[in-house]
């Protein structure tokens, strides 16, 4: 895992990271969203973009 950005806004925390696995050439780009309530984890969501080469984006630039 390689963390790129972490954001906090009130009860929400967002983490953007790149995940690679040994022996697998694909890279997964992930955003985790956490919602806290009374200082505890209340909800969690994942957004995963798998196996997309940055050179194949519409702009040709990396996603993050």
């Amino acid at each position: 895992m390689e963390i790129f950005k972490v954001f906090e806004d009130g009860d929400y925390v967002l983490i953007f990271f790149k995940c690679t696995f040994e022996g697998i050439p694909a890279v997964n780009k992930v955003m985790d969203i956490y919602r806290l309530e009374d200082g505890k984890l209340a909800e969690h969501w994942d957004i995963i973009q798998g196996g997309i080469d940055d050179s194949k984006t519409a702009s040709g630039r990396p996603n993050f």
Side-chain angles (χ1 to χ4, degrees):
M1 271 178 50
E2 183 180 354
I3 296 175
F4 284 91
K5 294 181 182 175
V6 177
F7 295 96
E8 174 270 327
D9 185 13
D11 291 337
Y12 291 88
V13 177
L14 290 81
I15 303 173
F16 295 86
F17 62 93
K18 186 165 50 170
C19 186
T20 56
F21 298 98
E22 188 174 324
I24 301 174
V27 174
N28 291 319
K29 295 176 181 175
V30 180
M31 180 174 71
D32 278 336
I33 304 169
Y34 300 93
R35 185 179 69 80
L36 306 174
E37 189 173 287
D38 298 324
K40 297 179 183 177
L41 179 62
E43 295 182 82
H44 169 250
W45 301 273
D46 287 318
I47 300 170
I48 302 170
Q49 180 182 27
I52 303 297
D53 184 348
D54 286 337
S55 67
K56 301 208 185 322
T57 62
S59 66
R61 298 185 317 187
N63 290 314
F64 54 81

